[in-house]
Amino acid sequence: MSEPILRAQKLDAADELAGLRAKFVLDEVVYLDGNSLGALPAAVPARMEDVVRRQWGSLRIRSWDESGWWTAPERIGDRIAPLVGAAPGQIVVGDSTSVNVFKALVAAVRLAGEGRDEIVVDATTFPTDGYIAESAARMTGCTLRPATPAEVPDVVTGRTAAVLLNHVDYRTGRLHELPGLTAAVHEAGAVVVWDLCHSAGALPVGLDEHGVDLAVGCTYKYLNGGPGSPAFLYVRRELQDRFDSPLPGWNSHTEPFGMRPAYEPAAGAVRGRVGTPDILSMLALEAALEVWDGVPIDAVRAKSLALTDFFLECVAAYLPEGAVESLTPVAHAERGSQVALHCPGAGDVMKRLIENGVVGDFRPPDVLRFGFTPLYVGFADVERAARILAGTLS
């Protein structure tokens, strides 16, 4: 038995989170694509059976009150809050990540006030964030200025209204320094918006601790909420009474059933709501989040780093030197919960990996991405994935 296999066995035996794997619907496939779509928590199907047959089928309209449908966006937001370092009452769930980025960015410009006419956007951002930022700039009369996260402290000025940044780079898995960048934006008097899509549920974020203004994130990756599950919006408590959403829907009205012609925003994070919540997806997410009960995010982060360390060790042990190149930083402080490998012909390589029972994903032109979800990925999975990758490239 090889040394990596023995190491994997020892690491799995000592893993305090190993028991959580049984709470997911998994098979013999090594699933390393949780950074795109998390695995199905085992409790979700039965919960959705109840939602559809009893809450919708029997109670029907009564479920808005009797089943708690109306309060679901804030209730589920409070379940997410501890995972991103937020106190209750600051997160609302609903809409897509893209819609929430738009709400947050336009609201950030409005919060910044007069005399600021520039939006700084992460030049390495996920494309949609860039598209939204460009549109928000046109709508608010701002100039759009792309800059890498490392450049932000040097480019923000008294003109800057808002800065939109990604916590983790979706291609490389690089973790950006949220506390320092937030402080730099605030020193310039601007408002910061963080995209947490690749960090929420994978590592500590510390939104309250670091004074983040606004943040958005998806729930179908490390939070395992299911395909198209609703995103979340964080509005720091001190800013809530000034949060001016560009999408003032009836759900965020102070008296939603008053049907008044004039809009008057509700108090608190409820201002982030727009229209009728997507109840089926919302309640699937709520059931999925139950796997987090009693799970400390620090333990998740420790295992994430151990998994990615071990994967890089196995890749080095099994693959010839130069066969692949890691684009993910070695330093723990700069690493999210994925490993990105530069590999010639990566698209075809990933297809062969999937055929052989290892599911990751491919980003053009030549990047293999492997996401490590600590709640259900084990060290034996990691060793097997590296071994099959070596066989695929041989």
Side-chain angles (χ1 to χ4, degrees):
M1 191 174 293
S2 71
E3 194 275 336
I5 292 177
L6 291 172
R7 282 249 300 134
Q9 291 175 348
K10 291 179 181 178
L11 289 167
D12 278 330
D15 177 15
E16 63 179 293
L17 301 180
L20 294 171
R21 186 184 181 98
K23 294 186 176 184
F24 290 86
V25 177
L26 297 165
D27 50 27
E28 296 305 310
V29 168
V30 177
Y31 189 66
L32 300 181
D33 207 8
N35 54 330
S36 289
L37 177 65
L40 171 66
V44 172
R47 182 68 56 81
M48 294 311 296
E49 175 81 6
D50 177 72
V51 169
V52 172
R53 293 194 178 277
R54 183 182 66 84
Q55 296 181 30
W56 179 15
S58 297
L59 294 178
R60 294 179 288 274
I61 196 71
R62 292 162 54 193
S63 276
W64 285 105
D65 290 323
E66 296 179 29
S67 301
W69 288 1
W70 185 261
T71 57
E74 298 83 59
R75 183 178 71 244
I76 300 170
D78 284 347
R79 291 204 73 133
I80 292 172
L83 303 178
V84 291
Q90 299 176 100
I91 292 179
V92 65
V93 174
D95 305 312
S96 68
T97 305
S98 300
V99 171
N100 282 323
V101 168
F102 174 74
K103 286 187 281 189
L105 196 52
V106 173
V109 173
R110 293 174 176 178
L111 283 166
E114 299 293 330
R116 292 179 177 269
D117 60 358
E118 177 185 79
I119 294 174
V120 174
V121 63
D122 184 345
T124 62
T125 191
F126 187 77
T128 289
D129 286 23
Y131 306 155
I132 296 291
E134 193 276 333
S135 180
R138 284 190 287 115
M139 292 179 65
T140 58
C142 287
T143 300
L144 187 66
R145 183 173 186 177
T148 66
E151 293 170 336
V152 164
D154 295 323
V155 303
V156 289
T157 69
R159 286 187 53 199
T160 307
V163 179
L164 173 61
L165 294 168
N166 284 259
H167 198 191
V168 174
D169 187 295
Y170 78 100
R171 285 164 300 215
T172 66
R174 176 178 289 278
L175 173 65
H176 298 301
E177 211 261 309
L178 181 146
L181 289 170
T182 298
V185 173
H186 287 167
E187 186 175 352
V191 178
V192 68
V193 180
W194 282 96
D195 182 329
L196 309 179
C197 284
H198 287 267
S199 58
L203 51 91
V205 178
L207 292 177
D208 287 354
E209 177 186 358
H210 302 302
V212 169
D213 300 310
L214 304 167
V216 301
C218 64
T219 62
Y220 49 80
K221 300 183 191 301
Y222 296 107
L223 296 178
N224 310 298
S229 57
F232 64 88
L233 170 66
Y234 165 89
V235 182
R236 182 158 59 89
R237 193 177 311 280
E238 293 82 356
L239 300 177
Q240 289 176 1
D241 62 348
R242 296 191 292 124
F243 181 82
D244 184 4
S245 173
L247 297 174
W250 75 286
N251 260 234
S252 62
H253 196 285
T254 188
E255 191 181 347
F257 292 97
M259 303 301 167
R260 298 177 183 174
Y263 179 72
E264 183 180 346
V270 176
R271 289 186 178 206
R273 293 176 66 152
V274 184
T276 305
D278 186 341
I279 290 299
L280 298 184
S281 291
M282 187 87 66
L283 298 186
L285 168 63
E286 185 172 35
L289 289 170
E290 290 177 3
V291 301
W292 287 93
D293 289 348
V295 178
I297 194 66
D298 287 339
V300 171
R301 175 60 168 165
K303 183 177 176 183
S304 164
L305 291 171
L307 288 168
T308 49
D309 278 344
F310 187 54
F311 181 67
L312 291 169
E313 291 172 18
C314 289
V315 166
Y318 286 145
L319 273 68
E321 186 174 355
V324 296
E325 175 192 2
S326 177
L327 304 177
T328 303
V330 173
H332 286 181
E334 299 175 4
R335 188 193 311 167
S337 199
Q338 74 178 52
V339 172
L341 301 177
H342 173 268
C343 174
D348 289 335
V349 171
M350 184 53 69
K351 288 179 183 177
R352 296 200 300 274
L353 281 173
I354 292 172
E355 290 169 356
N356 286 287
V358 176
V359 177
D361 66 20
F362 154 70
R363 288 293 178 268
D366 49 18
V367 176
L368 300 172
R369 289 197 323 168
F370 301 95
F372 298 84
T373 304
L375 300 188
Y376 56 76
V377 173
F379 293 90
D381 296 323
V382 170
E383 183 279 330
R384 181 181 165 200
R387 182 160 34 90
I388 291 175
L389 174 61
T392 302
L393 293 178
S394 63

